[in-house]
Amino acid sequence: MIAYTMVGTRNLENAQTFYDPLFVEMGWDVCWKDDSCISYGKETDLDFPRFFVGYPFDGQEASVGNGTMTAFQFAAPEQVDKLYNIAIDNGGSDEGAPGYRPQYAEGFYAAYVRDCDGNKLAFVVYPEEA
């Protein structure tokens, strides 16, 4: 299992403005916050993966990876739609509006956004098995 993933930011306050409402909607907690990063997850469950946003450890400016993306899985397309709208309303940019993507699998539903720093996120619903 993945323990955590981290994306870089150039402005932690802007990143928090973007990520807080998304993770509140997803039912995740702020597990850690200091002057360099914020961690989201389940505060009392160390087995639950965490998502960090923060300044790069090496002190260089944050940059995005080409082809790098973090995807979050949900049960219903309505959840994807809501998270997409929250992301856009809080400074994110569109990378693919919510919709079915049969080229990946029949019933695959997804939306793609970028945060204020250009990090790419996906909100997905996998097809139900027959």
Side-chain angles (χ1 to χ4, degrees):
M1 175 185 277
I2 294 175
Y4 66 89
T5 187
M6 181 170 181
V7 297
T9 186
R10 293 178 197 94
N11 184 313
L12 194 58
E13 185 177 324
N14 287 347
Q16 185 172 10
T17 297
F18 177 82
Y19 283 106
D20 274 1
L22 287 174
F23 287 114
V24 164
E25 179 64 28
M26 291 165 49
W28 291 31
D29 308 316
V30 172
C31 299
W32 172 263
K33 182 177 186 288
D34 64 14
D35 292 340
S36 65
C37 70
I38 304 167
S39 163
Y40 300 91
K42 298 289 184 183
E43 191 170 13
T44 59
D45 184 355
L46 292 178
D47 292 329
F48 192 88
R50 301 235 173 143
F51 182 92
F52 283 77
V53 58
Y55 299 118
F57 183 75
D58 67 4
Q60 301 297 312
E61 186 171 287
S63 62
V64 297
N66 186 19
T68 302
M69 176 174 55
T70 302
F72 298 93
Q73 182 180 350
F74 301 94
E78 297 79 22
Q79 293 169 290
V80 169
D81 297 349
K82 188 167 190 175
L83 288 162
Y84 172 85
N85 288 324
I86 289 170
I88 298 302
D89 290 346
N90 286 286
S93 60
D94 172 59
E95 279 290 315
Y100 287 99
R101 300 209 167 40
Q103 68 270 31
Y104 300 132
E106 189 64 35
F108 183 84
Y109 192 88
Y112 302 91
V113 298
R114 290 196 184 266
D115 70 10
C116 311
D117 292 290
N119 297 299
K120 191 172 182 181
L121 305 175
F123 308 118
V124 304
V125 176
Y126 287 131
E128 292 183 28
E129 293 190 39

